[in-house]
Amino acid sequence: MANPSLQIGNGKFAIKENDLLGYSSSGTRFFPIPITMTRATLGTRVNPSGLIEDVELLGSEEVENGDGSSTTGWDLAYANTTLSINNNNLRATANGSGAYGLSQDLSLDTNKQYIIKATINVDNASGGAANLRIATNSNLSSNVTTLSSTTGTTTTILSPSATTMYIGIVDTANDSSNYVEIDNISVKEYTIDGLARVDYTDGTASLLVEPQRTNLITYSESISNLSSTTNGTGTLTITDNYTDSPQGLQNASRVQMSIVDTNDTNNYRLINAGSVMITGVTREISFYAKSLTGSNQDVLVYWSYDQQIVTLTNDWQRFKISATSGNSSKVFIGTRGGSGSYFSGGDANLDFALWGLQVEDDGSGGGSSYATSYIKTQGSSVTRNQDEYTKTGISDKINSEEGVLFLEVAYLTQTSPTIKEISLNDGTNSNRVALRLNTTTNQIRAIVRVGGSNQFTVQNTISNVTNYNKIALKYKENDFALWVNGVELDTDTSGSIPSGLNQLDFDEGNGASVFCGKVKQLQVFKTALSDSELATLTTI
Amino acid sequence: MNIYKLQYTDKATGDADLLSKGTYEVVTEEGVTQDVYRNGTQAIVYIGKIVEIPATYDDEGHEITLPVYYDGVFYDLMTTEEFDFGINEIFPVDCVHSFAGYEKNAEGTDIDPELEEI
């Protein structure tokens, strides 16, 4: 079989300088083909270790000796300061009255963002204004941004206001017994937008391409910030940052609640997730939870006018509930007595961990028929933008006389309200070779269009488009075929093919019908493969 | 990146203004109609009404008293381009919506992912 002229994935995902690397190969040699990715917001993924993480690109370390190994690189922020290393902490000790501290100058780019991570100790400060700062002068007094005023670890994303900035710790000392310490500090260039997401939710790598979504829950992690609804005898305690979450960080909340009368509908303890439902609209509720008792526990989730009982185990699970509301209503999570109503159920005594609470809106005020990746919120609803991929100027990779477009893809939903397409095109949707998910359940479609006129168009319903399927479209004048999972589903022996194909888009070529799904591999061939080759290529 | 906070009397007016400014286009192909972002638009988020005084609910979650809303409906627009939205552009101090990785109250032109506790 001929080598593909362009590939994405197939076990070889890479990112360089923000671009997803497609590639071509010859023997054992690989030639990178950068694919432009656009998403102006942060996104998350499941990493190879199975942990949820922000997709970010970090630069090199900007701080010298930020690990407390040496005072080299650090200067006195004020004269009456003694610098020392104490138990691998960088310590500034007051040797007179008045302010003291230490700082280090950084050369930064004002067009970039930086992530600052630091652990400090201010327990032995004066009790006044001891804090970690970044500023535009060495004694940390001009254009100050205070990063932390308490002992512990802090993380901040910063857009620098100047090319030379100073970072350090200062205190307004009263006497020479005061000192402040930096345990460790790190400043690195930080990129979050335009980064491809290679996701391992299924245990293997795939390119995660998702639509714009808004998490309507205002506190997705610090659950204690959500209100609660209680009645009758019982208890309710929420402890934030109690245990490790699916991120591997200690930021999941512990929820302890109890009622005494499981027959009394007026006895309840509920987390009130807010007014996130509207009449007649389906929205996807999702959250991660696990039991903390060592036994399975049943938890009630309800809204107007329906409910679901979810069973928590000792392992983290993501629960996904498609909820259609008959009213403008809230979503409640917890336990409630009574029977026969949609708002009763759940164990009387609950002790579980909760994290990543999410109710999704598609951005238009409408619904969401499936859950997408986690969107963190902290005091407001938050939107993650649409993922978009494009590669222009690749006429040398696409044969406008014959070829094959091949995908191994799992769509995010069996029934989509909009078309999802990947195409080889000329920058318009009038001339293109395309594979798409139709709006009909589990229906895929192949299209070859010339001058706005369809030359080959077939559609087939397959068993489940949310499973990974291998789909190939062969195009050649008067010789078209659609193959799925080793089977030739359709052919056509009449039709011309478009000329001038020079780009790959995860849409129709005109920005419409943006693709969403998980792509394990994409291949473009410059020859119309034989039936046996197509069977081999597409067999699962 | 530019983030605009917008207020309109109703959704029809807001949609029409955003359409007239070219932030999106309505495309219909083979009977399927969709909104397609144009001219640098990264995201349009229809926030809808914003509650000034919350509703009260019974213990089934149904509204007992209706919420009191600020006038009109609200949008957030993220775009690489600059627009003059006139009186429809607002400058709230405690925003109810933000974009992932951006400060909660980020708005205006040349906004970057910025000083944010994470």
Side-chain angles (χ1 to χ4, degrees), chain A residues 107-394:
Chain A
S107 295
L108 304 177
D109 186 334
T110 55
N111 294 315
K112 296 178 178 175
Q113 290 76 55
Y114 294 84
I115 187 165
I116 303 170
K117 295 182 178 180
T119 302
I120 64 169
N121 173 12
V122 293
D123 290 345
N124 296 286
S126 62
N131 47 50
L132 182 72
R133 298 178 179 180
I134 189 163
T136 55
N137 63 344
S138 60
N139 63 9
L140 307 174
S141 60
S142 295
N143 303 308
V144 176
T145 296
T146 299
L147 304 171
S148 177
S149 300
T150 57
T151 294
T153 299
T154 184
T155 302
T156 305
I157 298 169
L158 178 82
S159 290
S161 59
T163 54
T164 300
M165 298 197 75
Y166 296 80
I167 195 164
I169 190 167
V170 294
D171 177 29
T172 53
N174 294 315
D175 58 54
S176 58
S177 67
N178 295 134
Y179 66 86
V180 290
E181 292 181 329
I182 296 176
D183 183 299
N184 59 75
I185 187 166
S186 168
V187 178
K188 293 181 178 178
E189 185 184 326
Y190 182 62
T191 302
I192 60 168
D193 58 333
L195 294 179
R197 292 186 288 163
V198 179
D199 186 83
Y200 291 79
T201 300
D202 305 314
T204 58
S206 65
L207 186 65
L208 180 62
V209 188
E210 293 186 312
Q212 176 183 323
R213 285 294 174 85
T214 300
N215 185 357
L216 299 172
I217 301 291
T218 52
Y219 287 95
S220 63
E221 294 180 5
S222 303
I223 304 300
S224 69
N225 287 292
L226 300 174
S227 61
S228 57
T229 301
T230 65
N231 200 43
T233 303
T235 62
L236 173 58
T237 303
I238 298 174
T239 308
D240 291 335
N241 302 318
Y242 176 79
T243 189
D244 282 0
S245 75
Q247 284 188 309
L249 304 174
Q250 189 176 328
N251 59 0
S253 298
R254 181 185 193 183
V255 179
Q256 298 167 284
M257 52 177 57
S258 66
I259 59 174
V260 297
D261 189 348
T262 57
N263 295 314
D264 181 3
T265 192
N266 292 315
N267 192 188
Y268 48 83
R269 291 294 182 276
L270 299 161
I271 295 167
N272 180 340
S275 304
V276 291
M277 305 300 288
I278 56 177
T279 306
V281 171
T282 299
R283 285 180 169 159
E284 193 80 4
I285 302 167
S286 61
F287 55 87
Y288 295 83
K290 71 172 184 177
S291 172
L292 293 176
T293 65
S295 302
N296 290 359
Q297 297 180 83
D298 285 344
V299 174
L300 168 68
V301 182
Y302 78 87
W303 60 97
S304 291
Y305 302 96
D306 207 350
Q307 65 148 233
Q308 189 161 323
I309 303 291
V310 297
T311 300
L312 314 189
T313 68
N314 296 325
D315 297 318
W316 282 108
Q317 297 177 78
R318 190 182 195 193
F319 296 94
K320 302 174 184 177
I321 302 169
S322 288
T324 303
S325 182
N327 202 334
S328 176
S329 72
K330 300 188 176 186
V331 172
F332 296 99
I333 301 172
T335 180
R336 182 167 181 168
S339 61
S341 298
Y342 68 86
F343 47 80
S344 62
D347 290 345
N349 294 286
L350 291 171
D351 185 357
F352 63 97
L354 180 62
W355 182 84
L357 190 52
Q358 186 157 305
V359 175
E360 297 184 40
D361 177 310
D362 66 359
S364 69
S368 55
S369 59
Y370 55 92
T372 65
S373 61
Y374 174 55
I375 304 167
K376 177 182 177 178
T377 67
Q378 197 170 26
S380 72
S381 61
V382 173
T383 295
R384 179 201 61 238
N385 290 1
Q386 164 81 50
D387 297 295
E388 295 185 33
Y389 290 87
T390 188
K391 179 62 182 176
T392 58
I394 53 169

Side-chain angles (χ1 to χ4, degrees), chain A residues 407-427:
Chain A
L407 303 175
E408 184 176 4
V409 62
Y411 292 95
L412 301 178
T413 178
Q414 294 186 53
T415 303
S416 172
T418 56
I419 297 162
K420 312 295 183 188
E421 182 168 309
I422 291 177
S423 67
L424 305 172
N425 60 73
D426 65 351

Side-chain angles (χ1 to χ4, degrees), chain A residues 275 336 383 445 508 510, chain B residues 29-30 37-38 57 59 97:
Chain A
S275 304
R336 182 167 181 168
T383 295
R445 182 175 176 188
E508 289 185 20
N510 65 347
Chain B
E29 184 193 348
E30 299 180 6
Y37 293 156
R38 296 296 190 209
Y57 294 83
D59 54 17
H97 172 264

Side-chain angles (χ1 to χ4, degrees), chain A residues 38 40-42 113 115 145 147 154-159 190 192 212 214 266 268 275 302 304-305 327-330 332 336 342-343 363-365 376 378-385 417 419 429 432 436 439 445 449 454 508 510-513, chain B residues 1 11 25 27 29-30 32-38 41-48 51 54-63 67 69 75-76 78 80 94-105 111-118:
Chain A
T38 305
T41 60
L42 181 68
Q113 290 76 55
I115 187 165
T145 296
L147 304 171
T154 184
T155 302
T156 305
I157 298 169
L158 178 82
S159 290
Y190 182 62
I192 60 168
Q212 176 183 323
T214 300
N266 292 315
Y268 48 83
S275 304
Y302 78 87
S304 291
Y305 302 96
N327 202 334
S328 176
S329 72
K330 300 188 176 186
F332 296 99
R336 182 167 181 168
Y342 68 86
F343 47 80
S364 69
K376 177 182 177 178
Q378 197 170 26
S380 72
S381 61
V382 173
T383 295
R384 179 201 61 238
N385 290 1
I419 297 162
N429 71 342
R432 71 188 204 270
R436 63 161 51 169
T439 55
R445 182 175 176 188
R449 181 174 289 189
N454 289 338
E508 289 185 20
N510 65 347
S513 305
Chain B
M1 194 61 67
K11 189 171 190 301
E25 179 184 6
V27 173
E29 184 193 348
E30 299 180 6
V32 178
T33 298
Q34 55 186 305
D35 295 344
V36 179
Y37 293 156
R38 296 296 190 209
T41 297
Q42 304 297 302
I44 298 171
V45 180
Y46 176 69
I47 298 168
V51 173
T56 59
Y57 294 83
D58 67 16
D59 54 17
E60 295 177 16
H62 302 149
E63 285 177 347
Y69 296 101
Y75 295 77
D76 276 3
M78 176 183 274
T80 59
D94 187 17
C95 297
V96 300
H97 172 264
S98 58
F99 290 94
Y102 288 74
E103 186 185 7
K104 178 185 167 191
N105 293 318
I111 298 296
D112 292 315
E114 200 170 16
L115 192 65
E116 179 192 22
E117 293 294 328
I118 61 173

